[in-house]
Amino acid sequence: MSSHSSSIIQASGISLSRGGAQLLANASLSVNIGERLAIVGSNGAGKTTLIRCLLGLADPDSGSIELNGHPLSETSRTELAQQIAYVPQQLAERISFTATEFINMSRYAHTGGASMNQFDHQGTEAVEEAIEQTNISHLRHQSLSTMSGGERQRVNIAAALAQKTPILILDEPTAHLDPKQRGLIQKLLANITKNREITLVVITHDLNWASSDFDRIIGIRDGHIEIDAQADTFMKKEVLMKVFDTELLLHPHPDSGRAMILPYSSCSSPSTSSPKS
Amino acid sequence: MTDRAKSKVLVTMVGFTLLCILTTPWLGQQLTSWDVLFSPRADKVDTIIFWQIRVPRVVLALLAGAGLSLGGVVFQALFRNPLATPFTLGVASGASLGVTIAMVTGIHFTLVGLSATSLASLLGAILSIALVYGVARASGKTSPSTMLLGGVAISFFFSSLILLLQYLSDAGSSFRILHWLMGDLSRASMDSVLQLAPFVISGILIVSIFHKELNLLSITDDIAASRGVDVHRTQKLLFFAVSLMVAGIITVCGPIGFVGIMAPHICRILIGANHRFLIPASILFGASFLTLCDTLARNITSTAEVPVGIVTAILGGPFFLWLLFSKKKSPI
């Protein structure tokens, strides 16, 4: 784990229970400035609960979270929104705002509102830049309710980018997307973080993406942080077993040699495959 | 739809509302001459009908329609449910129960210009708001769906109590209760306009200030909070401000249904979901719609006036169904 001095988010011993279920148990982590951090784990492991705590959307029963060295509990919603932008899993189909309206709303913490005016030059620039980065110019005046899942997700990310924050947290941004759309989102996130000005925290089930495009991976199981490792050391059978409690089929990538997870087929047996690296 | 196109729709709505204001006071069983405009204080029958009956009634309809429609817009955004209105959450049934108790017990007094019936209505509405919010808060379940269901339950409970009281009361009281429950603007006067105006104007001002927050809250609480909105404080403030506004309307006009569901939905189809445009559009549409319905209600028969609540439902119901099932994409 990296030093405390370069961390932008520091969570120490956070626990959270709801309705008798322990959602998070003594979880500690730090996120460093400019880092790309992936959070992985089985369904219901506590990944979303963890990021909800980091976003101030859920209050832990115990433990502390600091943002830039200040307690999160003492940070106002506006200050938080100026530091962290959040991309939820999927936007509901019922949302009938146009792409431009939805993206403009993310300027709320900076300009105090959804509707930009002619004096909000900084906001206009931020919105235009986000639209360009996500390549959604053609969707400007289209309602979100008439967009495909991939288009909606790009608008979702554009809105977070227009918020102009140093930290971006995404909850399964590629879930339910076809391979092309998934690739577009992954490339987009790689591009916006390549100069390390944005700290990226992503929940994903795509372990191949996590191991190839991220610096560090945190593995959660039953509310506990089981593994906090560099991405290149994560794709090992024993590590994956510890996080997912199942044996996964690993095979080296033909070009990079990096271990990749392969889907099981009726002809293959997990016991016969292992990473050659 | 671009902002310019939406602005054009709004300008058209302003024009239509002005047309309603200028024409509807002239329509009625008794024809009035233009002279009434130049002699508002004269004692002639024409002048009295125009200035003391029709003008206050049109102003009351404008205020009530605007407020009911706005109440629907806010509750539908807060609860992210196209059927949510302050009526759904028991405000109307609370007010109705208050009036029913006042009528059955026959209490008569006046306090700060409000009759016993008006006070009972206001207290009943406030009681239902406090019950819905208080129960949700005490149980720690203040999610939109829980509050909505709680409101529906309280609404049914109060409605049953009204039926019980009606069943036990004499025929005269029972008829008066029934008539009040239909929603009626025939009691309009300058006093009732002055009673209602502070409720509606303050409601409109508060909601207009929060149009940006309403946009975000209509998506999800998490999105709103992550963009910087103080979700709980804003929800609470809007919930009480709008409930109180609608309680004021019901107190003066009785429970006029359907405007709060239908008007916001039609405006969403016409102008989109952005509350910057939706709020003024709903205010204008609700105001014109209720004014037209009331004009129809007082002219539909030559013998007696029909309560406006019946007209809004009869006109609005089929029109709403047609809109819902027409080819035009519905934002619901």
Side-chain angles (χ1 to χ4, degrees):
Chain A
M1 201 178 284
S2 53
S3 69
H4 185 267
S5 59
S6 65
S7 71
I8 195 163
I9 299 174
Q10 181 79 36
S12 309
I14 53 172
S15 298
L16 180 68
S17 303
R18 286 287 181 273
Q22 183 87 41
L23 305 178
L24 275 180
N26 200 25
S28 298
L29 82 151
S30 75
V31 184
N32 301 318
I33 296 168
E35 189 178 28
R36 291 189 282 218
L37 172 71
I39 300 173
V40 302
S42 307
N43 293 329
K47 307 182 293 295
T48 300
T49 307
L50 176 64
I51 63 160
R52 281 178 59 77
C53 289
L54 300 183
L55 284 157
L57 300 174
D59 293 325
D61 301 330
S62 60
S64 66
I65 302 170
E66 287 182 358
L67 176 67
N68 286 321
H70 300 288
L72 199 70
S73 53
E74 293 172 17
T75 312
S76 73
R77 283 255 53 107
T78 311
E79 288 167 338
L80 249 174
Q82 287 169 353
Q83 292 297 314
I84 309 177
Y86 169 54
V87 179
Q89 256 187 44
Q90 276 281 323
L91 292 173
E93 269 184 55
R94 66 170 175 84
I95 299 168
S96 53
F97 291 111
T98 64
T100 311
E101 284 172 341
F102 183 74
I103 298 166
N104 281 341
M105 286 181 208
S106 64
R107 297 294 305 164
Y108 179 85
H110 297 279
T111 62
S115 48
M116 294 206 313
N117 56 56
Q118 55 188 331
F119 305 108
D120 183 21
H121 294 305
Q122 216 179 0
T124 312
E125 278 172 24
V127 169
E128 285 307 314
E129 195 184 328
I131 288 175
E132 200 179 307
Q133 279 179 313
T134 49
N135 197 22
I136 53 163
S137 293
H138 59 294
L139 301 172
R140 278 172 193 273
H141 301 299
Q142 195 174 324
S143 163
L144 266 78
S145 60
T146 61
M147 290 181 193
S148 70
E151 289 172 335
R152 230 180 353 255
Q153 192 62 328
R154 270 150 67 197
V155 174
N156 201 1
I157 293 173
L161 292 177
Q163 208 169 324
K164 283 281 173 200
T165 57
I167 308 166
L168 195 56
I169 296 183
L170 300 92
D171 191 354
E172 296 190 39
T174 57
H176 316 297
L177 297 183
D178 64 45
K180 185 186 170 186
Q181 294 294 338
R182 202 161 55 225
L184 282 171
I185 301 285
Q186 290 172 350
K187 201 172 165 186
L188 167 68
L189 293 175
N191 277 337
I192 58 173
T193 54
K194 69 181 173 200
N195 54 10
R196 302 290 171 158
E197 284 175 358
I198 292 178
T199 304
L200 188 69
V201 178
V202 172
I203 289 180
T204 182
H205 286 296
D206 187 341
L207 297 178
N208 292 331
W209 178 40
S211 69
S212 64
D213 280 21
F214 290 80
D215 305 314
R216 198 153 58 95
I217 302 176
I218 282 177
I220 303 187
R221 182 175 165 185
D222 299 332
H224 295 269
I225 293 183
E226 289 288 342
I227 296 289
D228 184 346
Q230 294 303 307
D232 51 3
T233 61
F234 191 83
M235 295 293 262
K236 288 179 179 160
K237 272 196 164 184
E238 59 276 18
V239 173
L240 295 169
M241 174 64 88
K242 206 172 173 186
V243 176
F244 294 99
D245 192 28
T246 187
E247 207 170 333
L248 294 163
L249 186 62
L250 286 165
H251 200 273
H253 189 280
D255 296 332
S256 65
R258 203 186 264 262
M260 306 282 289
I261 290 172
L262 295 183
Y264 283 117
S265 77
S266 54
C267 310
S268 65
S269 155
S271 58
T272 58
S273 301
S274 62
K276 289 175 184 169
S277 54
Chain B
M1 195 183 222
T2 60
D3 284 1
R4 178 172 281 196
K6 288 175 189 173
S7 301
K8 282 182 183 170
V9 176
L10 270 186
V11 170
T12 311
M13 285 180 156
V14 170
F16 185 72
T17 309
L18 283 175
L19 193 69
C20 288
I21 295 170
L22 294 175
T23 54
T24 49
W26 300 97
L27 304 172
Q29 308 284 344
Q30 171 90 23
L31 290 173
T32 47
S33 71
W34 291 100
D35 296 344
V36 297
L37 286 178
F38 310 107
S39 54
R41 288 173 193 279
D43 290 337
K44 284 194 288 184
V45 175
D46 270 15
T47 313
I48 291 169
I49 288 175
F50 189 84
W51 288 108
Q52 292 181 29
I53 298 175
R54 288 193 195 156
V55 170
R57 189 160 172 167
V58 167
V59 177
L60 197 68
L62 287 166
L63 286 171
L68 290 170
S69 177
L70 187 65
V73 166
V74 173
F75 270 53
Q76 284 148 32
L78 290 182
F79 293 94
R80 292 183 282 279
N81 187 317
L83 296 175
T85 67
F87 279 43
T88 332
L89 268 93
V91 178
S93 57
S96 304
L97 179 64
V99 169
T100 306
I101 291 170
M103 285 180 177
V104 169
T105 52
I107 302 170
H108 283 289
F109 63 87
T110 307
L111 192 70
V112 284
L114 288 172
S115 67
T117 317
S118 297
L119 273 174
S121 166
L122 195 60
L123 286 175
I126 292 169
L127 174 73
S128 69
I129 301 164
L131 262 178
V132 171
Y133 194 80
V135 170
R137 182 93 184 168
S139 63
K141 293 175 180 175
T142 49
S143 73
S145 53
T146 314
M147 281 183 69
L148 208 58
L149 285 171
V152 170
I154 283 174
S155 193
F156 273 111
F157 176 64
F158 282 178
S159 297
S160 305
L161 289 179
I162 292 167
L163 285 175
L164 178 70
L165 288 171
Q166 251 186 307
Y167 182 75
L168 295 174
S169 67
D170 58 79
S173 299
S174 190
F175 178 76
R176 283 202 305 279
I177 293 165
L178 188 67
H179 191 259
W180 190 88
L181 289 176
M182 288 173 184
D184 194 8
L185 296 172
S186 62
R187 296 179 293 271
S189 64
M190 277 322 287
D191 283 346
S192 54
V193 167
L194 291 174
Q195 265 178 21
L196 184 57
F199 284 98
V200 177
I201 291 168
S202 57
I204 288 174
L205 285 176
I206 291 170
V207 173
S208 300
I209 290 168
F210 284 92
H211 72 91
K212 295 156 187 171
E213 286 80 356
L214 278 169
N215 274 340
L216 287 161
L217 287 168
S218 70
I219 301 170
T220 63
D221 286 357
D222 280 0
I223 286 265
S226 70
R227 301 295 193 250
V229 176
D230 188 338
V231 171
H232 294 303
R233 191 185 70 91
T234 312
Q235 280 176 335
K236 207 189 316 178
L237 192 142
L238 286 170
F239 178 79
F240 282 107
V242 169
S243 297
L244 209 61
M245 174 180 73
V246 173
I249 295 169
I250 298 169
T251 298
V252 176
C253 311
I256 301 168
F258 226 66
V259 182
I261 289 182
M262 194 187 62
H265 185 65
I266 291 171
C267 290
R268 264 184 223 105
I269 292 171
L270 290 173
I271 212 161
N274 188 347
H275 286 79
R276 183 181 152 205
F277 296 100
L278 183 61
I279 289 169
S282 297
I283 290 169
L284 292 167
F285 189 93
S288 329
F289 177 72
L290 194 62
T291 308
L292 288 176
C293 284
D294 187 52
T295 307
L296 198 65
R298 58 190 157 87
N299 289 292
I300 205 163
T301 63
S302 57
T303 49
E305 290 183 1
V306 176
V308 69
I310 295 175
V311 179
T312 56
I314 287 177
L315 278 185
F319 183 55
F320 189 52
L321 277 176
W322 172 76
L323 269 175
L324 271 181
F325 296 109
S326 66
K327 283 180 186 170
K328 193 165 170 59
K329 175 82 181 168
S330 161
I332 284 184

